[in-house]
Amino acid sequence: MEQRRGLDAYGYFEREGSLGRIQPAFADLVAAARSRIAEAYGSRLHSAYLYGSVPRGTARPGRSDLDLLIALHGEPAHEDRDIAEVLGQGLDQDFPEIDGVGVLLYGKDRLLSEQERYDLGWFLACLCTPLLGDDLAEHLPRYRPDAVLARETNGDLHRVLPRWRERFEAASEPADYRRLSRAFARHLVRTGFTLVMPRWGGWTSDLTESAEVFARYYPQRADQMRAAAVVALAPVEDPAVVRRYVEDLGPWLAGEYTARHGAKAPRREAAGESVTRSAPGPGRPRPASPPPDRRR
């Protein structure tokens, strides 16, 4: 049997990324992030992780952002969220190698909860690289690319779409459409991939490959998804592109996803949860709204 990308010989996810894959251009940035997180949170910190292109070794200097997951011993308070905001802004300002910093901030009990076992738990265990502290992945199971994982990661697009419509209707400037095109396209490509992930039987974080895998199973929507993968990497200011996501591709994908995998279990937002992203500098698009795409 063919061994799929992203899995070990037994069909379980291999952890994506490692400190050893970080490119030299980002070494000082990661060292600064490590020391600043430890200093900022002190004894409240349980552990910290990198995710995204930096630990995968695919980051592009001056174009990629730095993504961090911080786990506290207790639920985050307002002060902790403020610290995360300042931390992200400081790293962004001090290191031109990156174009923004995203920080996910959770209490460790939330990350290890049964409700989050196949969403945040999987995300931490499979897509996050340990940076500081004891690795919470040691308390989580191993994962396969099955239908339960598909449902609990992206089976809520039908709930997300109304908020997308509101943001699209509120947009008016080219910069608004640019940031929405990027955010919506990334989400749709990721969701399109996890729709077919159990059938394909593997994992990839590469957006172009994700669109190609989707295209094998839905050729009638292949061109749309390939185009979305392009926009996810090179966002556009055309409102017509965003409108098609909100009125065509998004609703179709939400319906197909629910029909095949069912709806994601509703989440009760935990008090103190924080998702923050540093304010953009000149020419930097501000993210559409939290939460950011954790699986980029």
Side-chain angles (χ1 to χ4, degrees):
M1 180 179 178
E2 178 185 2
Q3 182 178 338
R4 287 294 189 185
R5 177 175 173 179
L7 307 182
D8 65 15
Y10 301 97
Y12 291 104
F13 275 85
E14 291 185 317
R15 199 166 203 170
E16 182 180 80
S18 71
L19 297 180
R21 294 182 185 177
I22 296 171
Q23 298 141 292
F26 299 96
D28 290 344
L29 163 70
V30 171
R34 180 189 289 111
S35 62
R36 293 184 191 187
I37 291 170
E39 181 179 2
Y41 289 103
S43 62
R44 300 195 304 283
L45 178 69
H46 178 276
S47 50
Y49 308 80
L50 303 171
Y51 69 95
S53 60
V54 171
R56 290 200 303 266
T58 59
R60 296 172 294 174
R63 298 185 63 184
S64 296
D65 49 11
L66 175 69
D67 295 300
L68 300 166
L69 169 64
I70 297 174
L72 302 182
H73 286 287
E75 286 301 312
H78 291 297
E79 177 187 2
D80 298 314
R81 295 197 295 273
D82 291 342
I83 290 172
E85 183 74 23
V86 172
L87 175 72
Q89 289 177 353
L91 289 168
D92 192 24
Q93 292 168 2
D94 294 345
F95 291 90
E97 295 84 355
I98 51 171
D99 185 15
V101 177
V103 183
L104 296 172
L105 184 64
Y106 294 99
K108 67 177 180 63
D109 290 343
R110 171 79 181 274
L111 293 167
L112 295 177
S113 68
E114 184 66 29
Q115 184 182 53
E116 296 291 350
R117 180 64 51 86
Y118 289 93
D119 190 8
L120 286 174
W122 163 78
F123 170 68
L124 185 150
C126 299
L127 303 189
C128 290
T129 297
L131 181 66
L132 273 170
D134 296 332
D135 186 6
L136 286 172
E138 296 178 2
H139 304 282
L140 292 164
R142 302 193 69 191
Y143 295 88
R144 296 181 186 272
D146 58 22
V148 173
L149 186 62
R151 184 188 70 224
E152 293 303 309
T153 51
N154 286 320
D156 58 351
L157 182 58
H158 63 291
R159 299 191 192 106
V160 173
L161 283 173
R163 298 196 295 274
W164 283 15
R165 294 187 185 100
E166 291 175 2
R167 296 204 293 275
F168 174 64
E169 291 169 1
S172 60
E173 300 296 327
D176 296 334
Y177 298 118
R178 185 177 186 274
R179 68 174 180 264
L180 291 178
S181 72
R182 179 181 187 271
F184 294 177
R186 292 177 76 95
H187 195 128
L188 291 171
V189 174
R190 294 289 185 224
T191 303
F193 172 73
T194 53
L195 169 65
V196 302
M197 175 184 68
R199 283 182 278 175
W200 187 60
W203 172 259
T204 179
S205 284
D206 183 275
L207 291 166
T208 301
E209 184 179 19
S210 294
E212 290 301 324
V213 172
F214 169 88
R216 299 183 191 182
Y217 301 92
Y218 292 95
Q220 73 277 20
R221 293 277 179 170
D223 289 344
Q224 282 183 296
M225 196 62 75
R226 290 181 179 123
V230 172
V231 171
L233 296 172
V236 298
E237 298 176 349
D238 184 356
V241 172
V242 184
R243 183 182 295 277
R244 286 195 292 271
Y245 295 158
V246 172
E247 296 182 355
D248 180 26
L249 183 57
W252 172 82
L253 185 56
E256 183 68 14
Y257 211 103
T258 302
R260 179 164 288 274
H261 298 304
K264 180 177 181 176
R267 299 293 197 268
R268 180 181 64 83
E269 291 300 325
E273 173 189 333
S274 175
V275 183
T276 185
R277 187 164 289 279
S278 60
R284 294 182 180 181
R286 185 182 301 277
S289 71
D293 181 1
R294 296 192 302 262
R295 285 161 281 283
R296 56 175 152 208

